[in-house]
């Protein structure tokens, strides 16, 4: 008796690798583990009381409930799109509800943009390192990744121009407190990157989930706002991707794209072909939360996360060996570490979980091309300062032992 098997999967799917972050999230529920792995909001900060009242109000009104649990339009709930348009205009971005589509989180927005732009072999420029979720989703469309290194001000211009000269479809970056490296692209660098985008006609996908989580310094205008200042005559190359997950709550799955109306129309068709529309009731709740609680949530989150960042930085400075370096992010959720050559952070993680009950994310996961295995990402968004300090001190003991062992082996 013969056995048949499924046809071969598409190459882009076969090439997918598991998200180390998703796997590591499984560790968070183990009480003995101090986890710096998941770059996720603290659930203690969610506006649960307000959310509960909003759901109760909908469920208590049959007419509202009928609409809330019904099919809806693919573009997204109009009042929510109106709020997003007003929010973006308040930060200098020239847009309107007709140039916004609601997506199932920013991750779906990236998927749709990858599907809209990438043919197999097309160039896609990424910062080095870059957001793992973007590498994964764009990778399913089989592009040619072009990785551009960063310095303290963002992507390096000479390498970026060389990448743009290869005529890629777009440049993807997170300009504010980027995941994973915590780097913020400076204003001067943003202007220069825009100049290069116009020169070579390369779209910029600006992913901005952390923009409100700034703890030091003044807000820097987004690429979309800088493009608006230059006027439509200069082009319309910036595609802005936003999210409510980091400020309100991830489970509502509300992201959006603000872009040229022609592109939005195509993304609407992709939405129709994908999941028809985002949850109607979640969009209604998100609209009420955004209008009533967005500003107060930002005001609550900033000092809380700032204290945690400062606790982690102080503990690193106090306890880590000088051979390890790290950045000082102005906001966001992440601190990026570089270890001496020869330290494999995947191996270090296995030891840290086994011997120190500490988790983090090895940096190799965040490279689209050549991986640097001596890097790591620490997230400070979860845990009180005292627990963060304890975890860093535990990790520091292990790191010192590893470095001493490596030095002894090299003699």
């Amino acid at each position: 008796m013969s056995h048949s098997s499924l046809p071969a999967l598409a190459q882009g799917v076969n090439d997918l690798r598991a998200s180390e972050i998703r796997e590591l999230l499984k560790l968070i529920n183990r009480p003995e583990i101090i986890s710096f792995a998941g770059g996720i909001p603290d659930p203690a900060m969610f506006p649960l009381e307000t959310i509960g009242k909003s759901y109760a109000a909908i469920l208590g009104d049959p007419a509202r409930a009928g609409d809330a649990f019904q099919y809806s339009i693919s573009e997204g709930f109009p009042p929510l799109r109106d709020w997003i348009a007003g929010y973006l205009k308040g930060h200098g971005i020239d847009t309107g509800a007709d140039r916004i589509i609601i997506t199932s989180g920013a991750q779906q927005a990236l998927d749709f943009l990858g599907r809209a732009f990438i043919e197999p072999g097309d160039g896609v420029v990424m910062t080095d390192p870059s957001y793992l979720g973007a590498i994964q989703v764009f990778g399913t469309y089989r592009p040619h990744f072009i990785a551009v290194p960063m310095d303290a001000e963002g992507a390096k211009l000479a390498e970026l121009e060389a990448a743009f000269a290869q005529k890629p479809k777009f440049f993807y970056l997170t300009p504010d407190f980027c995941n994973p490296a915590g780097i913020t692209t400076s204003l001067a660098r943003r202007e220069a990157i825009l100049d290069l985008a116009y020169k070579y006609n390369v779209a910029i996908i600006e992913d901005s989930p952390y923009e409100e989580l700034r703890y030091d310094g003044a807000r820097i205008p987004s690429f979309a706002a800088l493009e608006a200042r230059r006027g439509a005559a200069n082009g319309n190359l910036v595609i802005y991707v936003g999210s409510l997950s980091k400020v309100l709550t991830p489970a509502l799955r509300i992201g959006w794209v603000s872009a040229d109306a022609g592109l939005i129309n195509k993304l609407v068709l992709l939405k129709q072909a994908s999941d028809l529309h985002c949850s109607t009731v979640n969009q209604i709740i998100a609209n009420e939360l955004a209008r009533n609680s967005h500003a107060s949530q930002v005001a609550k989150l900033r000092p809380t996360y700032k204290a945690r960042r400062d606790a982690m930085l102080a503990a690193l400075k106090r306890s880590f060996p000088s051979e390890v370096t790290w950045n000082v992010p102005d906001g966001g959720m992440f601190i990026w570490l570089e270890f001496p050559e020869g330290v494999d952070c995947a191996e270090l993680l296995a030891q840290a979980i086994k011997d120190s009950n500490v988790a983090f994310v090895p940096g190799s996961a965040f490279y689209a091309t050549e991986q640097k295995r001596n890097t790591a990402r620490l997230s400070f968004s979860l845990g009180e300062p005292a627990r963060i300090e304890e975890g860093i001190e535990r990790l520091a003991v292990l790191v010192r032992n590893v470095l001493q062992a490596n030095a002894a082996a090299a003699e």
Side-chain angles (χ1 to χ4, degrees), residues 56 62 90 97 102 135 141 143 154 172 180 195 199 220 240 322 340 342 405:
I102 306 297
I135 296 171
Y141 301 107
Y172 168 86
D195 290 340
K199 178 179 178 180
I220 300 174
Y240 183 99
S322 59

mmCIF file with all atom_site columns, all heavy atoms in Angstrom, residues 56 62 90 97 102 135 141 143 154 172 180 195 199 220 240 322 340 342 405:
data_model
loop_
_atom_site.group_PDB
_atom_site.id
_atom_site.type_symbol
_atom_site.label_atom_id
_atom_site.label_alt_id
_atom_site.label_comp_id
_atom_site.label_asym_id
_atom_site.label_entity_id
_atom_site.label_seq_id
_atom_site.pdbx_PDB_ins_code
_atom_site.Cartn_x
_atom_site.Cartn_y
_atom_site.Cartn_z
_atom_site.occupancy
_atom_site.B_iso_or_equiv
_atom_site.pdbx_formal_charge
_atom_site.auth_seq_id
_atom_site.auth_comp_id
_atom_site.auth_asym_id
_atom_site.auth_atom_id
_atom_site.pdbx_PDB_model_num
ATOM 1   N N   . ALA A 1 56  ? -18.500 46.232 28.711 1.00 0.00 ? 56  ALA A N   1
ATOM 2   C CA  . ALA A 1 56  ? -19.802 46.130 29.386 1.00 0.00 ? 56  ALA A CA  1
ATOM 3   C C   . ALA A 1 56  ? -20.822 47.064 28.753 1.00 0.00 ? 56  ALA A C   1
ATOM 4   O O   . ALA A 1 56  ? -21.998 46.693 28.581 1.00 0.00 ? 56  ALA A O   1
ATOM 5   C CB  . ALA A 1 56  ? -19.640 46.449 30.880 1.00 0.00 ? 56  ALA A CB  1
ATOM 6   N N   . PRO A 1 62  ? -28.041 46.251 23.052 1.00 0.00 ? 62  PRO A N   1
ATOM 7   C CA  . PRO A 1 62  ? -28.194 45.287 21.950 1.00 0.00 ? 62  PRO A CA  1
ATOM 8   C C   . PRO A 1 62  ? -27.879 45.871 20.572 1.00 0.00 ? 62  PRO A C   1
ATOM 9   O O   . PRO A 1 62  ? -27.298 45.177 19.729 1.00 0.00 ? 62  PRO A O   1
ATOM 10  C CB  . PRO A 1 62  ? -29.659 44.854 22.059 1.00 0.00 ? 62  PRO A CB  1
ATOM 11  C CG  . PRO A 1 62  ? -29.997 45.074 23.502 1.00 0.00 ? 62  PRO A CG  1
ATOM 12  C CD  . PRO A 1 62  ? -29.231 46.299 23.912 1.00 0.00 ? 62  PRO A CD  1
ATOM 13  N N   . GLY A 1 90  ? -1.104  65.641 14.622 1.00 0.00 ? 90  GLY A N   1
ATOM 14  C CA  . GLY A 1 90  ? -0.559  66.321 15.791 1.00 0.00 ? 90  GLY A CA  1
ATOM 15  C C   . GLY A 1 90  ? 0.938   66.194 15.907 1.00 0.00 ? 90  GLY A C   1
ATOM 16  O O   . GLY A 1 90  ? 1.588   66.982 16.602 1.00 0.00 ? 90  GLY A O   1
ATOM 17  N N   . ALA A 1 97  ? -7.958  60.027 7.057  1.00 0.00 ? 97  ALA A N   1
ATOM 18  C CA  . ALA A 1 97  ? -8.520  58.690 7.249  1.00 0.00 ? 97  ALA A CA  1
ATOM 19  C C   . ALA A 1 97  ? -8.491  57.868 5.966  1.00 0.00 ? 97  ALA A C   1
ATOM 20  O O   . ALA A 1 97  ? -8.364  56.641 6.016  1.00 0.00 ? 97  ALA A O   1
ATOM 21  C CB  . ALA A 1 97  ? -9.947  58.797 7.777  1.00 0.00 ? 97  ALA A CB  1
ATOM 22  N N   . ILE A 1 102 ? -6.367  49.957 8.941  1.00 0.00 ? 102 ILE A N   1
ATOM 23  C CA  . ILE A 1 102 ? -6.150  49.266 10.201 1.00 0.00 ? 102 ILE A CA  1
ATOM 24  C C   . ILE A 1 102 ? -5.732  47.830 9.899  1.00 0.00 ? 102 ILE A C   1
ATOM 25  O O   . ILE A 1 102 ? -6.342  47.157 9.061  1.00 0.00 ? 102 ILE A O   1
ATOM 26  C CB  . ILE A 1 102 ? -7.429  49.258 11.060 1.00 0.00 ? 102 ILE A CB  1
ATOM 27  C CG1 . ILE A 1 102 ? -7.963  50.679 11.259 1.00 0.00 ? 102 ILE A CG1 1
ATOM 28  C CG2 . ILE A 1 102 ? -7.156  48.598 12.410 1.00 0.00 ? 102 ILE A CG2 1
ATOM 29  C CD1 . ILE A 1 102 ? -7.054  51.600 12.009 1.00 0.00 ? 102 ILE A CD1 1
ATOM 30  N N   . ILE A 1 135 ? 12.381  40.632 9.595  1.00 0.00 ? 135 ILE A N   1
ATOM 31  C CA  . ILE A 1 135 ? 13.237  39.714 8.836  1.00 0.00 ? 135 ILE A CA  1
ATOM 32  C C   . ILE A 1 135 ? 12.446  38.465 8.465  1.00 0.00 ? 135 ILE A C   1
ATOM 33  O O   . ILE A 1 135 ? 12.501  37.987 7.326  1.00 0.00 ? 135 ILE A O   1
ATOM 34  C CB  . ILE A 1 135 ? 14.489  39.342 9.660  1.00 0.00 ? 135 ILE A CB  1
ATOM 35  C CG1 . ILE A 1 135 ? 15.362  40.579 9.912  1.00 0.00 ? 135 ILE A CG1 1
ATOM 36  C CG2 . ILE A 1 135 ? 15.295  38.258 8.954  1.00 0.00 ? 135 ILE A CG2 1
ATOM 37  C CD1 . ILE A 1 135 ? 16.486  40.346 10.901 1.00 0.00 ? 135 ILE A CD1 1
ATOM 38  N N   . TYR A 1 141 ? 8.899   36.170 1.349  1.00 0.00 ? 141 TYR A N   1
ATOM 39  C CA  . TYR A 1 141 ? 8.743   36.585 -0.058 1.00 0.00 ? 141 TYR A CA  1
ATOM 40  C C   . TYR A 1 141 ? 10.062  36.510 -0.823 1.00 0.00 ? 141 TYR A C   1
ATOM 41  O O   . TYR A 1 141 ? 10.146  36.945 -1.966 1.00 0.00 ? 141 TYR A O   1
ATOM 42  C CB  . TYR A 1 141 ? 8.125   37.993 -0.111 1.00 0.00 ? 141 TYR A CB  1
ATOM 43  C CG  . TYR A 1 141 ? 6.782   38.025 0.567  1.00 0.00 ? 141 TYR A CG  1
ATOM 44  C CD1 . TYR A 1 141 ? 6.621   38.645 1.806  1.00 0.00 ? 141 TYR A CD1 1
ATOM 45  C CD2 . TYR A 1 141 ? 5.692   37.365 0.022  1.00 0.00 ? 141 TYR A CD2 1
ATOM 46  C CE1 . TYR A 1 141 ? 5.393   38.617 2.465  1.00 0.00 ? 141 TYR A CE1 1
ATOM 47  C CE2 . TYR A 1 141 ? 4.470   37.333 0.665  1.00 0.00 ? 141 TYR A CE2 1
ATOM 48  C CZ  . TYR A 1 141 ? 4.327   37.968 1.889  1.00 0.00 ? 141 TYR A CZ  1
ATOM 49  O OH  . TYR A 1 141 ? 3.119   37.924 2.542  1.00 0.00 ? 141 TYR A OH  1
ATOM 50  N N   . PRO A 1 143 ? 13.295  37.860 -0.674 1.00 0.00 ? 143 PRO A N   1
ATOM 51  C CA  . PRO A 1 143 ? 14.046  38.994 -1.207 1.00 0.00 ? 143 PRO A CA  1
ATOM 52  C C   . PRO A 1 143 ? 15.546  38.735 -1.134 1.00 0.00 ? 143 PRO A C   1
ATOM 53  O O   . PRO A 1 143 ? 15.999  37.726 -0.569 1.00 0.00 ? 143 PRO A O   1
ATOM 54  C CB  . PRO A 1 143 ? 13.669  40.121 -0.247 1.00 0.00 ? 143 PRO A CB  1
ATOM 55  C CG  . PRO A 1 143 ? 13.541  39.417 1.064  1.00 0.00 ? 143 PRO A CG  1
ATOM 56  C CD  . PRO A 1 143 ? 12.909  38.077 0.738  1.00 0.00 ? 143 PRO A CD  1
ATOM 57  N N   . GLY A 1 154 ? 22.344  56.008 13.831 1.00 0.00 ? 154 GLY A N   1
ATOM 58  C CA  . GLY A 1 154 ? 21.492  55.259 12.920 1.00 0.00 ? 154 GLY A CA  1
ATOM 59  C C   . GLY A 1 154 ? 22.285  54.603 11.813 1.00 0.00 ? 154 GLY A C   1
ATOM 60  O O   . GLY A 1 154 ? 23.502  54.379 11.936 1.00 0.00 ? 154 GLY A O   1
ATOM 61  N N   . TYR A 1 172 ? 13.727  49.306 5.328  1.00 0.00 ? 172 TYR A N   1
ATOM 62  C CA  . TYR A 1 172 ? 12.937  49.135 6.549  1.00 0.00 ? 172 TYR A CA  1
ATOM 63  C C   . TYR A 1 172 ? 13.772  49.522 7.761  1.00 0.00 ? 172 TYR A C   1
ATOM 64  O O   . TYR A 1 172 ? 14.908  49.064 7.906  1.00 0.00 ? 172 TYR A O   1
ATOM 65  C CB  . TYR A 1 172 ? 12.473  47.681 6.699  1.00 0.00 ? 172 TYR A CB  1
ATOM 66  C CG  . TYR A 1 172 ? 11.907  47.403 8.078  1.00 0.00 ? 172 TYR A CG  1
ATOM 67  C CD1 . TYR A 1 172 ? 10.574  47.660 8.359  1.00 0.00 ? 172 TYR A CD1 1
ATOM 68  C CD2 . TYR A 1 172 ? 12.724  46.920 9.105  1.00 0.00 ? 172 TYR A CD2 1
ATOM 69  C CE1 . TYR A 1 172 ? 10.059  47.438 9.631  1.00 0.00 ? 172 TYR A CE1 1
ATOM 70  C CE2 . TYR A 1 172 ? 12.213  46.704 10.374 1.00 0.00 ? 172 TYR A CE2 1
ATOM 71  C CZ  . TYR A 1 172 ? 10.891  46.974 10.630 1.00 0.00 ? 172 TYR A CZ  1
ATOM 72  O OH  . TYR A 1 172 ? 10.387  46.763 11.894 1.00 0.00 ? 172 TYR A OH  1
ATOM 73  N N   . PRO A 1 180 ? 16.399  45.559 17.800 1.00 0.00 ? 180 PRO A N   1
ATOM 74  C CA  . PRO A 1 180 ? 16.808  45.280 19.176 1.00 0.00 ? 180 PRO A CA  1
ATOM 75  C C   . PRO A 1 180 ? 17.839  46.259 19.772 1.00 0.00 ? 180 PRO A C   1
ATOM 76  O O   . PRO A 1 180 ? 18.098  46.190 20.962 1.00 0.00 ? 180 PRO A O   1
ATOM 77  C CB  . PRO A 1 180 ? 17.493  43.924 19.020 1.00 0.00 ? 180 PRO A CB  1
ATOM 78  C CG  . PRO A 1 180 ? 18.207  44.044 17.703 1.00 0.00 ? 180 PRO A CG  1
ATOM 79  C CD  . PRO A 1 180 ? 17.268  44.854 16.823 1.00 0.00 ? 180 PRO A CD  1
ATOM 80  N N   . ASP A 1 195 ? 17.143  62.290 1.818  1.00 0.00 ? 195 ASP A N   1
ATOM 81  C CA  . ASP A 1 195 ? 17.799  62.760 0.591  1.00 0.00 ? 195 ASP A CA  1
ATOM 82  C C   . ASP A 1 195 ? 18.199  61.578 -0.286 1.00 0.00 ? 195 ASP A C   1
ATOM 83  O O   . ASP A 1 195 ? 17.997  61.598 -1.514 1.00 0.00 ? 195 ASP A O   1
ATOM 84  C CB  . ASP A 1 195 ? 19.035  63.594 0.933  1.00 0.00 ? 195 ASP A CB  1
ATOM 85  C CG  . ASP A 1 195 ? 18.698  64.947 1.546  1.00 0.00 ? 195 ASP A CG  1
ATOM 86  O OD1 . ASP A 1 195 ? 17.553  65.408 1.372  1.00 0.00 ? 195 ASP A OD1 1
ATOM 87  O OD2 . ASP A 1 195 ? 19.588  65.536 2.197  1.00 0.00 ? 195 ASP A OD2 1
ATOM 88  N N   . LYS A 1 199 ? 16.937  60.488 -4.023 1.00 0.00 ? 199 LYS A N   1
ATOM 89  C CA  . LYS A 1 199 ? 17.947  60.363 -5.079 1.00 0.00 ? 199 LYS A CA  1
ATOM 90  C C   . LYS A 1 199 ? 17.817  59.031 -5.814 1.00 0.00 ? 199 LYS A C   1
ATOM 91  O O   . LYS A 1 199 ? 17.927  58.971 -7.049 1.00 0.00 ? 199 LYS A O   1
ATOM 92  C CB  . LYS A 1 199 ? 19.345  60.504 -4.477 1.00 0.00 ? 199 LYS A CB  1
ATOM 93  C CG  . LYS A 1 199 ? 20.489  60.351 -5.482 1.00 0.00 ? 199 LYS A CG  1
ATOM 94  C CD  . LYS A 1 199 ? 21.840  60.536 -4.794 1.00 0.00 ? 199 LYS A CD  1
ATOM 95  C CE  . LYS A 1 199 ? 22.985  60.331 -5.780 1.00 0.00 ? 199 LYS A CE  1
ATOM 96  N NZ  . LYS A 1 199 ? 24.317  60.509 -5.123 1.00 0.00 ? 199 LYS A NZ  1
ATOM 97  N N   . ILE A 1 220 ? 12.009  63.507 18.209 1.00 0.00 ? 220 ILE A N   1
ATOM 98  C CA  . ILE A 1 220 ? 12.564  63.793 16.885 1.00 0.00 ? 220 ILE A CA  1
ATOM 99  C C   . ILE A 1 220 ? 11.465  63.560 15.851 1.00 0.00 ? 220 ILE A C   1
ATOM 100 O O   . ILE A 1 220 ? 10.782  62.529 15.897 1.00 0.00 ? 220 ILE A O   1
ATOM 101 C CB  . ILE A 1 220 ? 13.779  62.888 16.584 1.00 0.00 ? 220 ILE A CB  1
ATOM 102 C CG1 . ILE A 1 220 ? 14.875  63.120 17.640 1.00 0.00 ? 220 ILE A CG1 1
ATOM 103 C CG2 . ILE A 1 220 ? 14.323  63.163 15.189 1.00 0.00 ? 220 ILE A CG2 1
ATOM 104 C CD1 . ILE A 1 220 ? 16.059  62.185 17.512 1.00 0.00 ? 220 ILE A CD1 1
ATOM 105 N N   . TYR A 1 240 ? 4.399   54.917 6.795  1.00 0.00 ? 240 TYR A N   1
ATOM 106 C CA  . TYR A 1 240 ? 4.469   54.934 8.264  1.00 0.00 ? 240 TYR A CA  1
ATOM 107 C C   . TYR A 1 240 ? 3.628   53.795 8.818  1.00 0.00 ? 240 TYR A C   1
ATOM 108 O O   . TYR A 1 240 ? 2.441   53.666 8.504  1.00 0.00 ? 240 TYR A O   1
ATOM 109 C CB  . TYR A 1 240 ? 3.961   56.284 8.780  1.00 0.00 ? 240 TYR A CB  1
ATOM 110 C CG  . TYR A 1 240 ? 4.048   56.470 10.274 1.00 0.00 ? 240 TYR A CG  1
ATOM 111 C CD1 . TYR A 1 240 ? 5.087   57.187 10.851 1.00 0.00 ? 240 TYR A CD1 1
ATOM 112 C CD2 . TYR A 1 240 ? 3.071   55.934 11.121 1.00 0.00 ? 240 TYR A CD2 1
ATOM 113 C CE1 . TYR A 1 240 ? 5.168   57.360 12.227 1.00 0.00 ? 240 TYR A CE1 1
ATOM 114 C CE2 . TYR A 1 240 ? 3.141   56.105 12.495 1.00 0.00 ? 240 TYR A CE2 1
ATOM 115 C CZ  . TYR A 1 240 ? 4.184   56.822 13.047 1.00 0.00 ? 240 TYR A CZ  1
ATOM 116 O OH  . TYR A 1 240 ? 4.259   56.986 14.400 1.00 0.00 ? 240 TYR A OH  1
ATOM 117 N N   . SER A 1 322 ? 34.366  45.028 32.213 1.00 0.00 ? 322 SER A N   1
ATOM 118 C CA  . SER A 1 322 ? 34.594  46.123 31.258 1.00 0.00 ? 322 SER A CA  1
ATOM 119 C C   . SER A 1 322 ? 34.700  45.635 29.821 1.00 0.00 ? 322 SER A C   1
ATOM 120 O O   . SER A 1 322 ? 34.556  46.429 28.882 1.00 0.00 ? 322 SER A O   1
ATOM 121 C CB  . SER A 1 322 ? 35.859  46.888 31.633 1.00 0.00 ? 322 SER A CB  1
ATOM 122 O OG  . SER A 1 322 ? 36.981  46.009 31.624 1.00 0.00 ? 322 SER A OG  1
ATOM 123 N N   . PRO A 1 340 ? 33.015  40.182 24.034 1.00 0.00 ? 340 PRO A N   1
ATOM 124 C CA  . PRO A 1 340 ? 34.242  39.943 23.277 1.00 0.00 ? 340 PRO A CA  1
ATOM 125 C C   . PRO A 1 340 ? 34.062  38.847 22.234 1.00 0.00 ? 340 PRO A C   1
ATOM 126 O O   . PRO A 1 340 ? 33.218  37.950 22.396 1.00 0.00 ? 340 PRO A O   1
ATOM 127 C CB  . PRO A 1 340 ? 35.244  39.512 24.364 1.00 0.00 ? 340 PRO A CB  1
ATOM 128 C CG  . PRO A 1 340 ? 34.698  40.078 25.631 1.00 0.00 ? 340 PRO A CG  1
ATOM 129 C CD  . PRO A 1 340 ? 33.206  40.045 25.490 1.00 0.00 ? 340 PRO A CD  1
ATOM 130 N N   . GLY A 1 342 ? 34.410  35.509 20.390 1.00 0.00 ? 342 GLY A N   1
ATOM 131 C CA  . GLY A 1 342 ? 34.588  34.188 20.991 1.00 0.00 ? 342 GLY A CA  1
ATOM 132 C C   . GLY A 1 342 ? 33.489  33.818 21.963 1.00 0.00 ? 342 GLY A C   1
ATOM 133 O O   . GLY A 1 342 ? 33.346  32.640 22.323 1.00 0.00 ? 342 GLY A O   1
ATOM 134 N N   . ALA A 1 405 ? 37.152  31.745 31.896 1.00 0.00 ? 405 ALA A N   1
ATOM 135 C CA  . ALA A 1 405 ? 37.394  30.434 31.307 1.00 0.00 ? 405 ALA A CA  1
ATOM 136 C C   . ALA A 1 405 ? 37.935  30.554 29.887 1.00 0.00 ? 405 ALA A C   1
ATOM 137 O O   . ALA A 1 405 ? 38.854  29.826 29.489 1.00 0.00 ? 405 ALA A O   1
ATOM 138 C CB  . ALA A 1 405 ? 36.096  29.618 31.309 1.00 0.00 ? 405 ALA A CB  1
#
